[in-house]
Amino acid sequence: MSRRTHDQRLIRALRAMNSELAASNRAVAARTGLNDSDLAVLDVLHRNGPQTPTALAHRTRMGTTTMTSVLRRLVRDGWVERRPSETDLRSFTIHATSADRLAEVFLPANRRLGALVEGWPESRVDQLIEFLDDATEVIHESAGRLSTRDGDNF
């Protein structure tokens, strides 16, 4: 198989996975009473820990007005809480408070994904994780360049 064909298969597979992840996220959002924006914020909080609203807006590429609305909903529904910053009394950070509610919804898929690599050597799993981490960084940087070109200040 040529390198070009191999690369095309890789990109098609990644795009298919992206589409299915997006569809899965919409289904999870619907099941939990959230929307895509809410789920994106919760995902960042679960992966990266507490953040300021500005950092969340930047990471999710949402405007600050949109972020204010998202956070208002998430606080109201008990998904997150605002805590005063320990270093800047004028600021606050957002903390996820309901990881268990989301974990329960994701658990069946997470188990099946884990089973896919169950018999693999640890080094192969590590290679896959490294590739996915690197691919995620490429997509993040690409989105940043696209946002900057459009004049957004994300």
Side-chain angles (χ1 to χ4, degrees), residues 107-120:
L107 185 61
N110 289 348
R111 284 186 176 148
R112 289 186 65 198
L113 289 167
L116 291 175
V117 299
E118 196 169 284
W120 290 15

Side-chain angles (χ1 to χ4, degrees), residues 5-144:
T5 301
H6 194 264
D7 290 351
Q8 288 172 341
R9 287 182 58 220
L10 173 64
I11 296 303
R12 275 197 306 271
L14 288 170
R15 287 185 179 176
M17 185 171 68
N18 180 61
S19 293
E20 293 306 321
L21 285 169
S24 173
N25 283 343
R26 286 190 297 275
V28 167
R31 169 70 59 95
T32 56
L34 299 167
N35 65 38
D36 290 347
S37 298
D38 301 339
L39 199 55
V41 168
L42 290 172
D43 182 56
V44 169
L45 291 171
H46 290 295
R47 284 186 294 121
N48 303 114
Q51 310 262 318
T52 66
T54 302
L56 282 169
H58 177 75
R59 184 63 182 97
T60 58
R61 307 217 186 290
M62 290 182 209
T64 54
T65 303
T66 301
M67 183 55 62
T68 299
S69 297
V70 168
L71 293 177
R72 189 175 296 125
R73 275 193 308 276
L74 292 174
V75 168
R76 178 195 68 209
D77 296 340
W79 290 97
V80 301
E81 62 185 21
R82 299 170 193 231
R83 296 183 190 165
S85 170
E86 295 177 5
T87 57
D88 180 355
L89 298 178
R90 300 166 296 166
S91 183
F92 59 91
T93 55
I94 305 299
H95 295 252
T97 58
S98 297
D100 55 328
R101 288 165 66 187
L102 275 181
E104 184 180 311
V105 176
F106 282 109
L107 185 61
N110 289 348
R111 284 186 176 148
R112 289 186 65 198
L113 289 167
L116 291 175
V117 299
E118 196 169 284
W120 290 15
E122 190 172 331
S123 61
R124 187 174 178 199
V125 176
D126 289 342
Q127 277 184 307
L128 175 62
I129 292 167
E130 184 177 345
F131 168 78
L132 292 171
D133 286 344
D134 290 349
T136 299
E137 185 61 29
V138 166
I139 298 304
H140 176 74
E141 289 172 2
S142 177

